[in-house]
C-alpha cells in the first residue's frame, strides 16, 4: 500500500465542503428495484436499481472516433475496468446481483458511444485495475480514480467529476471532522492504496508532530465488514468517497457524514478521471469524448440520474494538477 504524504497546506479552503450529495431514502432498494434520493440542488431523483437500466445514450462522433488507436478501432470494443466492490451510487450491482450499474459505468458507456465502440465492463479488485492497465489488458479505468501526481508518472488522465471525500460515523456520534486534530487518537477505517489513505496518513503524522495522538488506521476486506465495525463501535469513522458515504447514510439511516474534504487536499479541488496507461494514445480521444457529452448535455443527464449533479465539471482536462506526492 502507498503511504506517500500529501502536501501540507496552510489554508483550509477544502474543509467543510458542502456535501456533494445530499440523499434521503424514500424506500427500500430491494423493494421494487428503485430508491428515491434528494439531490443537494433540491427536488428528488428516483434511482433505478434494476438490471434494466435504460441508460442515457449519445451518438458517434466520427472525428473523435478517428483519434482512437487503430488496434482498438479494429477490435471494436472499449475494454473498461471498474472496481468489483459495491459502492453505490458510483459502481455497484443491480437487484439481480450481477449487472454492474452506477454513475461510473454510465459515463463509460457515453464515452464509448462517442468513440463508436462497444463498451465491455470488466470488474476486478481495486489493485488489479492498475495491474490490468499496466499490462494493456484494459483500455481505460472508470472507477472513481483520483488524479494524483504519483499516478501521473504511470498513467494519463481525462477528468470527468469532482472528487470529494466523506468521513462517515455512526449516527448520533456527535463527531465533527474539520481537520487533523479531530481524528487524533480516533480509530478510522480506510481502503489501502487510495488517496483517502494518503490523506489519513498525513493527518496522523501532523498530529504526532503537534504532540497529539496518531490516528489508529484500520483496513477491512470489504464495505460490509467496515460498516459492521462502525456499528459495533470497533472503529469511530470510515473515510471514503463522499457520494458513497452520503448514499449509505441515507439509505440505511444508521450512519451520518460528519465531515468532507477535497480528494486533492486543502487548496486544490480533487478530480476523478478516466485512466489509461501512459502514452497509450487514448487520453485525448477520451477527453474529447467527455467534452462532447458535456457539450451535448448527456453528461448532465447521467449525473442527475444518480443525484450527483453537484460533482459536475465544465470541461474534461488531460493530466491536470492532482494530489501532491510529498509533504514539501
Amino acid at each position: 500500500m502507498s503511504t506517500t504524504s500529501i502536501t501540507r497546506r496552510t489554508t483550509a479552503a477544502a474543509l467543510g465542503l458542502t456535501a456533494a450529495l445530499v440523499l434521503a431514502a424514500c424506500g427500500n432498494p430491494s423493494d421494487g428495484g428503485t430508491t428515491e434520493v434528494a439531490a443537494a440542488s433540491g427536488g428528488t431523483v428516483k434511482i433505478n436499481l434494476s438490471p434494466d437500466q435504460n441508460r442515457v445514450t449519445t451518438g458517434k462522433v466520427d472525428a473523435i472516433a478517428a483519434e482512437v488507436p487503430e488496434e482498438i478501432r479494429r477490435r471494436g470494443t472499449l475494454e473498461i475496468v471498474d472496481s468489483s466492490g459495491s459502492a453505490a451510487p458510483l459502481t455497484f450491482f443491480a437487484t439481480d446481483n450481477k449487472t454492474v450499474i452506477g454513475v461510473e459505468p454510465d459515463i463509460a458507456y457515453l464515452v464509448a458511444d462517442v468513440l463508436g465502440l462497444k463498451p465491455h465492463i470488466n470488474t476486478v479488485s481495486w489493485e488489479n485495475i492498475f495491474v490490468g492497465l499496466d499490462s494493456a489488458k484494459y483500455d481505460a479505468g472508470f472507477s472513481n480514480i483520483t488524479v494524483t501526481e504519483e499516478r501521473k508518472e504511470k498513467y494519463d488522465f481525462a477528468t470527468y467529476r469532482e472528487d470529494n471525500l466523506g468521513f462517515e460515523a455512526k449516527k448520533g456520534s456527535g463527531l465533527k471532522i474539520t481537520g487533523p486534530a479531530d481524528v487524533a487518537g480516533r480509530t478510522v477505517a480506510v481502503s489501502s492504496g487510495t488517496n483517502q489513505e494518503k490523506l489519513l496518513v498525513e493527518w496522523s503524522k501532523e498530529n504526532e508532530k503537534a504532540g497529539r495522538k496518531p490516528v489508529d488506521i484500520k483496513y477491512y476486506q470489504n464495505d460490509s465488514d467496515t460498516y459492521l465495525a462502525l456499528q459495533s463501535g470497533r472503529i469511530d469513522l470510515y473515510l471514503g468517497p463522499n457520494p458513497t458515504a452520503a448514499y449509505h447514510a441515507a439509505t440505511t439511516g444508521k450512519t451520518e457524514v460528519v465531515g468532507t474534504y477535497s480528494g486533492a487536499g486543502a487548496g486544490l479541488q480533487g478530480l476523478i478521471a478516466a485512466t489509461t496507461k501512459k502514452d497509450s494514445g487514448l487520453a485525448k480521444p477520451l477527453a474529447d469524448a467527455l467534452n462532447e457529452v458535456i457539450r451535448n448535455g448527456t453528461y448532465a443527464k447521467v449525473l442527475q440520474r444518480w443525484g450527483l449533479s453537484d460533482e459536475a465539471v465544465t470541461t474534461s482536462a488531460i493530466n491536470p494538477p492532482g494530489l501532491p506526492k510529498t509533504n514539501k
Side-chain angles (χ1 to χ4, degrees), residues 258-281:
V258 295
T260 58
Y261 202 85
S262 166
L268 180 64
Q269 175 59 56
L271 293 168
I272 300 298
T275 306
T276 71
K277 186 177 182 180
K278 197 164 190 66
D279 300 323
S280 68

Side-chain angles (χ1 to χ4, degrees), residues 18-19 46 82 92 107 115 158-159 175 198 200 286 290 308:
T18 299
K46 182 170 284 189
D82 205 344
F92 61 115
I107 291 175
L115 300 180
T159 60
L175 296 174
K198 291 181 181 181
L200 202 56
L286 287 172
L290 285 161
L308 290 172

Side-chain angles (χ1 to χ4, degrees), residues 19-31:
L21 182 66
V22 179
L23 293 166
C26 297
N28 187 335
S30 64
D31 182 15

Side-chain angles (χ1 to χ4, degrees), residues 25-325:
C26 297
N28 187 335
S30 64
D31 182 15
T34 64
T35 191
E36 196 167 88
V37 301
S41 56
T44 60
V45 177
K46 182 170 284 189
I47 291 181
N48 175 13
L49 304 175
S50 76
D52 184 12
Q53 282 292 288
N54 191 27
R55 285 186 169 95
V56 178
T57 61
T58 193
K60 178 184 178 182
V61 178
D62 290 337
I64 300 176
E67 298 172 1
V68 175
E70 184 180 356
E71 180 183 349
I72 298 174
R73 280 189 279 121
R74 283 201 312 264
R75 186 207 305 149
T77 62
L78 184 65
E79 294 297 325
I80 297 157
V81 63
D82 205 344
S83 175
S84 56
S86 186
L90 301 175
T91 301
F92 61 115
F93 292 106
T95 50
D96 64 355
N97 290 319
K98 62 181 181 180
T99 303
V100 180
I101 64 174
V103 70
E104 300 289 272
D106 272 13
I107 291 175
Y109 269 66
L110 273 185
V111 167
D113 284 347
V114 174
L115 300 180
L117 299 170
K118 182 179 179 181
H120 181 217
I121 302 285
N122 301 271
T123 56
V124 300
S125 60
W126 172 256
E127 64 275 10
N128 280 320
I129 290 175
F130 301 96
V131 172
L133 290 172
D134 291 345
S135 65
K137 183 177 182 180
Y138 311 120
D139 299 319
F142 285 80
S143 191
N144 202 57
I145 301 171
T146 302
V147 179
T148 75
E149 292 303 312
E150 183 177 14
R151 288 172 183 162
K152 280 164 65 176
E153 294 179 353
K154 294 180 66 176
Y155 309 101
D156 287 324
F157 295 94
T159 60
Y160 60 85
R161 259 186 37 249
E162 289 188 353
D163 174 36
N164 295 311
L165 311 179
F167 286 90
E168 192 174 0
K170 189 174 181 180
K171 195 165 186 177
S173 69
L175 296 174
K176 182 67 177 177
I177 310 302
T178 60
D182 297 319
V183 293
R186 297 286 182 186
T187 303
V188 186
V190 73
S191 296
S192 64
T194 63
N195 63 316
Q196 298 97 276
E197 180 193 26
K198 291 181 181 181
L199 172 70
L200 202 56
V201 168
E202 173 63 17
W203 280 17
S204 185
K205 289 178 180 178
E206 287 190 32
N207 281 330
E208 289 188 277
K209 288 178 183 176
R212 298 186 292 260
K213 292 182 179 180
V215 181
D216 183 8
I217 302 175
K218 298 293 185 184
Y219 301 92
Y220 292 91
Q221 292 282 23
N222 52 58
D223 285 349
S224 60
D225 290 341
T226 302
Y227 287 124
L228 184 62
L230 193 61
Q231 286 302 310
S232 67
R234 294 198 305 276
I235 60 174
D236 300 308
L237 296 156
Y238 172 41
L239 175 60
N242 187 55
T244 61
Y247 186 97
H248 179 264
T251 54
T252 65
K254 295 180 179 179
T255 62
E256 59 187 348
V257 176
V258 295
T260 58
Y261 202 85
S262 166
L268 180 64
Q269 175 59 56
L271 293 168
I272 300 298
T275 306
T276 71
K277 186 177 182 180
K278 197 164 190 66
D279 300 323
S280 68
L282 262 179
K284 186 177 187 302
L286 287 172
D288 287 348
L290 285 161
N291 281 318
E292 168 61 18
V293 299
I294 290 170
R295 182 199 64 78
N296 70 24
T298 52
Y299 165 80
K301 289 180 180 179
V302 164
L303 292 187
Q304 194 276 336
R305 183 173 187 248
W306 295 101
L308 290 172
S309 297
D310 285 355
E311 293 201 343
V313 295
T314 57
T315 188
S316 176
I318 297 174
N319 296 333
L323 177 70
K325 287 175 62 177

